[in-house]
Amino acid sequence: HRNELSGALNGLIRVRRFQQDDAHIFCRPDQIMEQITDCLEFLKEVYSTFGFRYDLFLSTRPEDKFIGTVDLWDKAEKALKEALDKAGEKWELNPGDGAFYGPKIDIQLYDALNRPHQCGTIQLDFNLPKNFSLRYRNEEVTDRSQSLEDSEGTRNEDDFNDDLPTGYERPVIIHRAILGSAERMIAILTENYKGKWPFWLSPRQAVIIPISE
């Protein structure tokens, strides 16, 4: 639910209540490249099936309203840049337009009238896992009965895991939405196909017309 400003509501393009295909992927920091690459491949598969043309933007740290340290933001932005370069997709920098908790890859698609729409997004989040004290045992913990309290004597040295004892690390969250708002996507698809839906997507795939004598 979101209370929009007066006059901002616009059919299915912008509604007061919407459904979103939002996924949250929890992974190790060394899995970021693989997971972001998979997200971009998933996005490409879906948008090419619909016949959309789209552009990618890397939105970086806001100037004022953000949580976490600058070092963590720099690390997250670097990971997204490397994933975009590896994917071989053209992308542009969008300075200061990241979410308050992390940088993101924004996807801007274009409808039949060449109007841009912000739908999908892939966001990399180092901050919320730290705020929620998320942790997992790494390969240094050989005894599975070892508890967090058993390792309290030593600490990790990097800023992402500095509040965790040795043998424990913190996961990263990837926020992934491909369609974005389902209502907005239905509106864009309706206009993009000009009402003539492809057979596999049409809500009425066949019509029986009776012929009398």
Side-chain angles (χ1 to χ4, degrees), residues 70-107:
V70 173
D71 287 342
L72 282 181
W73 274 85
D74 289 344
K75 183 186 295 186
E77 290 172 8
K78 181 174 181 288
L80 287 182
K81 285 179 184 177
E82 291 175 351
L84 282 166
D85 289 338
K86 183 181 177 183
E89 297 277 358
K90 242 183 107 180
W91 59 276
E92 296 180 30
L93 195 62
N94 186 19
D97 203 36
F100 72 92
Y101 51 77
K104 57 181 179 171
I105 300 172
D106 284 325
I107 299 94

Side-chain angles (χ1 to χ4, degrees), residues 138-144 146:
N138 63 19
E139 63 277 3
E140 293 181 28
V141 181
T142 55
D143 181 5
R144 293 189 62 82
Q146 181 180 350

Side-chain angles (χ1 to χ4, degrees), residues 126-155:
F126 280 82
N127 286 301
L128 292 184
K130 192 174 179 70
N131 288 352
F132 293 146
S133 300
L134 302 183
R135 59 182 180 264
Y136 63 89
R137 288 182 170 124
N138 63 19
E139 63 277 3
E140 293 181 28
V141 181
T142 55
D143 181 5
R144 293 189 62 82
S145 65
Q146 181 180 350
S147 67
L148 189 63
E149 290 73 21
D150 295 333
S151 304
E152 283 295 334
T154 56
R155 296 280 172 177

Side-chain angles (χ1 to χ4, degrees), residues 29-106:
D30 63 339
Q31 294 175 313
I32 289 174
M33 179 71 72
E34 175 189 357
Q35 292 298 323
I36 295 293
T37 301
D38 286 349
C39 289
L40 289 171
E41 284 295 322
F42 185 19
L43 176 90
K44 185 176 181 180
E45 178 71 21
V46 172
Y47 282 15
S48 62
T49 299
F50 287 139
F52 285 135
R53 179 174 64 86
Y54 63 91
D55 292 324
L56 300 176
F57 297 87
L58 175 57
S59 299
T60 58
R61 184 182 74 248
E63 289 187 10
D64 301 317
K65 297 181 179 179
F66 64 91
I67 62 173
T69 65
V70 173
D71 287 342
L72 282 181
W73 274 85
D74 289 344
K75 183 186 295 186
E77 290 172 8
K78 181 174 181 288
L80 287 182
K81 285 179 184 177
E82 291 175 351
L84 282 166
D85 289 338
K86 183 181 177 183
E89 297 277 358
K90 242 183 107 180
W91 59 276
E92 296 180 30
L93 195 62
N94 186 19
D97 203 36
F100 72 92
Y101 51 77
K104 57 181 179 171
I105 300 172
D106 284 325

Side-chain angles (χ1 to χ4, degrees), residues 195-208:
K196 188 178 180 181
W197 296 79
F199 181 79
W200 64 272
L201 192 58
S202 175
R204 180 179 292 178
Q205 294 180 328
V207 176
I208 300 174

